[in-house]
């Protein structure tokens, strides 16, 4: 269930909403939509408060949910747990007590990035006292629909090539994706359909180098086409792309190839492998094709060479990083 559907179905407010979403974009979106739908602007100054983790968190939360509303029927409290926030076992028990004893005129929205182990007693007890709801970060085909729907909200369509470019560049990092989509629709207020070339004018040049040229360059390495790979490398370096940046991209790609090659022993379905390693199916499909050019041992040797070079780059061992990177590429293709 998506956030809009959930909000629209809520006719009678509950005392506690316990909302899990690993992605901060979704947690913030729920908070914004809940406030817009259920909390009149006229009462927000005195009857809407935030209580977030920190010193004496549970004491502050307990006081907030027990405080009666001022000049209104309801008081609303929002508590937001980010990725680094957590509670120990004893604190969780106290949190349950707060949920159980919340004031009848209060509604608490508890947002968390921490997934609950549903086999444990905490979850079973929790379900008796709160409305528990999870919102999963969209992946694979759902991510396609999410991007399309974001453009649709602005009255725009997006072609398939543009859709894949955005997915490959930002994966399911919804905060970044949303920000880039906002930039695109703001730049083209009168266009009904956004094309690849429209996007290319908006997204930063560095990101397009990453998505277009670097992946073509990595394809050449995967195909062991040494002359063309070195020519492409020189062109990128001449345009000012940092050697260490290229080295990092190469490391990421080799690690992906190693993961995909390992799981290809069991299946050649790129979607199944993508789910195993939590990646989008498209780059996994490309990696499956590239991985056929290497043995697992060759990939391990290349990664070892890259990690050694990375250390030397950072310590200043190589005075000429461009030449050093060329030598690393030659070694990589030679394995």
């Amino acid at each position: 269930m998506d956030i809009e559907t959930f909000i629209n179905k809520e006719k009678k407010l509950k005392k506690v909403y316990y909302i899990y979403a690993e992605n901060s974009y979704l947690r913030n979106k729920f908070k914004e939509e809940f406030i817009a739908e259920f909390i009149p602007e006229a009462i927000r100054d005195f009857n809407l408060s935030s209580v977030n983790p920190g010193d004496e968190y549970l004491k502050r939360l307990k006081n907030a949910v027990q405080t009666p509303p001022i000049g209104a029927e309801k008081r609303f409290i929002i508590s937001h747990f980010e990725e680094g926030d957590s509670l120990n076992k004893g604190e969780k028990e106290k949190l349950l007590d707060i949920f159980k004893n919340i004031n009848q005129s209060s509604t608490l929205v508890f947002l968390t990035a921490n997934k609950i182990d549903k086999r444990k007693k905490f979850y079973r007890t929790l379900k008796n006292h709160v409305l528990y709801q999870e919102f999963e970060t969209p992946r694979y085909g759902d991510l396609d629909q999410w991007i399309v729907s974001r453009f649709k909200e602005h009255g725009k369509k997006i072609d398939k090539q543009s859709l894949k470019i955005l997915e490959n560049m930002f994966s399911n990092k919804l905060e970044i994706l949303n920000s880039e989509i906002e930039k695109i629709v703001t730049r083209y207020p009168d266009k009904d359909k956004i094309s690849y070339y429209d996007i290319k004018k908006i997204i930063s040049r560095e990101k397009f180098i990453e998505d277009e040229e670097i992946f073509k360059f990595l394809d050449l390495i995967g195909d062991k086409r040494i002359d063309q790979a070195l020519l492409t490398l020189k062109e990128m370096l001449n345009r000012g792309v940092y050697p260490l940046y290229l080295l990092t991209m190469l490391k990421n790609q080799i690690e992906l190839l190693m993961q995909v090659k390992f799981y290809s022993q069991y299946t050649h379905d790129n979607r199944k492998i993508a789910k195993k390693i939590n990646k989008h199916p498209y780059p996994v499909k490309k990696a499956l094709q590239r991985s056929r050019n290497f043995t697992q041992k060759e990939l391990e040797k290349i990664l070892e060479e890259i990690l050694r070079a990375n250390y030397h780059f950072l310590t200043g061992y190589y005075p000429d990083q461009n030449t050093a990177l060329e030598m690393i590429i030659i070694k990589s293709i030679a394995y």
Side-chain angles (χ1 to χ4, degrees):
M1 184 187 300
D2 62 25
I3 290 171
E4 290 83 358
T5 303
F6 179 87
I7 294 289
N8 289 335
K9 284 179 69 176
E10 278 300 285
K11 301 303 180 187
K12 185 178 179 182
L13 282 170
K14 312 298 187 297
K15 289 170 68 176
V16 182
Y17 292 86
Y18 193 106
I19 307 298
Y20 163 74
E22 64 175 349
N23 191 288
S24 62
Y25 172 87
L26 293 175
R27 296 194 301 275
N28 286 320
K29 183 175 176 61
F30 183 90
K31 178 170 67 174
E32 290 167 6
E33 299 226 355
F34 186 92
I35 290 172
E37 180 68 22
F38 297 116
I39 311 177
E41 194 168 348
I43 73 165
R44 292 176 194 173
D45 286 344
F46 297 104
N47 294 293
L48 171 60
S49 58
S50 294
V51 180
N52 295 321
D55 292 341
E56 297 188 318
Y57 165 69
L58 292 172
K59 183 178 179 181
R60 289 185 286 113
L61 184 63
K62 183 177 180 180
N63 289 338
V65 300
Q66 289 297 330
T67 302
I70 299 172
E73 293 182 4
K74 272 280 185 184
R75 176 175 170 77
F76 296 88
I77 305 94
I78 295 177
S79 187
H80 196 161
F81 267 56
E82 301 285 356
E83 284 80 356
D85 299 322
S86 62
L87 296 173
N88 61 36
K89 186 176 179 180
E91 289 169 331
K92 286 181 179 178
E93 290 298 324
K94 291 179 181 177
L95 182 65
L96 285 174
D97 286 337
I98 291 172
F99 292 159
K100 293 175 189 176
N101 298 302
I102 188 169
N103 191 306
Q104 289 293 331
S105 58
S106 293
T107 289
L108 170 63
V109 177
F110 186 89
L111 302 157
T112 181
N114 301 314
K115 197 173 182 71
I116 293 178
D117 186 339
K118 294 181 179 177
R119 299 167 298 178
K120 299 243 176 119
K121 180 184 174 183
F122 176 77
Y123 174 73
R124 295 194 299 271
T125 307
L126 179 76
K127 288 276 286 181
N128 294 325
H129 301 283
V130 308
L131 190 158
Y132 179 86
Q133 181 66 40
E134 296 184 359
F135 294 107
E136 295 292 342
T137 304
R139 292 181 173 88
Y140 320 128
D142 290 337
L143 183 59
D144 291 358
Q145 292 303 314
W146 187 88
I147 294 172
V148 169
S149 69
R150 289 295 295 120
F151 277 98
K152 191 175 180 180
E153 285 175 23
H154 295 279
K156 300 188 185 300
K157 295 180 180 179
I158 181 172
D159 62 37
K160 194 169 183 180
Q161 186 183 13
S162 302
L163 180 64
K164 291 304 175 188
I165 287 293
L166 288 172
E167 283 185 353
N168 294 339
M169 289 166 71
F170 304 111
S171 185
N172 60 353
K173 298 179 178 68
L174 301 188
E175 297 92 340
I176 302 173
L177 258 174
N178 188 62
S179 174
E180 297 299 332
I181 291 170
E182 293 285 348
K183 285 184 200 173
I184 293 163
V185 298
T186 301
R187 175 70 177 271
Y188 300 107
D190 301 323
K191 290 198 84 168
D192 295 328
K193 189 169 185 178
I194 303 297
S195 72
Y196 164 81
Y197 298 101
D198 297 327
I199 289 178
K200 193 168 182 178
K201 291 174 185 174
I202 302 295
I203 305 298
S204 68
R205 181 175 178 274
E206 290 76 14
K207 287 189 174 71
F208 261 92
I209 287 173
E210 175 183 324
D211 190 68
E212 296 291 307
E213 297 178 81
I214 290 181
F215 284 115
K216 286 178 184 176
F217 167 62
L218 294 172
D219 282 338
L220 293 172
I221 293 174
D223 293 336
K224 300 191 177 182
R225 293 155 68 182
I226 188 166
D227 291 340
Q228 285 182 268
L230 289 174
L231 180 62
T232 302
L233 175 62
K234 284 181 180 292
E235 288 174 353
M236 287 191 289
L237 291 172
N238 288 340
R239 284 200 297 275
V241 181
Y242 291 113
L244 186 58
Y245 175 73
L246 283 169
L247 190 67
T248 302
M249 289 299 300
L250 182 57
K251 178 183 81 70
N252 293 342
Q253 185 67 4
I254 296 300
E255 287 175 341
L256 176 62
L257 289 173
M258 290 175 70
Q259 287 179 300
V260 168
K261 188 144 191 92
F262 173 78
Y263 283 107
S264 68
Q265 300 173 86
Y266 309 103
T267 178
H268 285 86
D269 186 326
N270 65 303
R271 289 186 173 274
K272 287 182 180 178
I273 296 174
K275 194 170 183 180
K276 279 283 186 185
I277 63 176
N278 198 25
K279 301 283 185 185
H280 193 275
Y282 181 76
V284 169
K285 183 179 180 181
K286 296 286 287 181
L288 264 173
Q289 297 165 353
R290 295 180 190 126
S291 68
R292 299 187 188 112
N293 295 321
F294 301 94
T295 66
Q296 195 70 273
K297 195 166 186 65
E298 285 173 335
L299 290 170
E300 288 171 6
K301 287 180 179 178
I302 294 169
L303 183 60
E304 185 180 333
E305 198 72 45
I306 290 169
L307 293 174
R308 185 182 297 113
N310 186 69
Y311 174 77
H312 289 321
F313 272 35
L314 293 173
T315 57
Y317 180 83
Y318 291 129
D320 185 349
Q321 291 189 353
N322 289 12
T323 302
L325 186 56
E326 288 181 24
M327 295 307 297
I328 293 162
I329 300 307
I330 291 170
K331 278 187 178 182
S332 299
I333 296 174
Y335 279 121

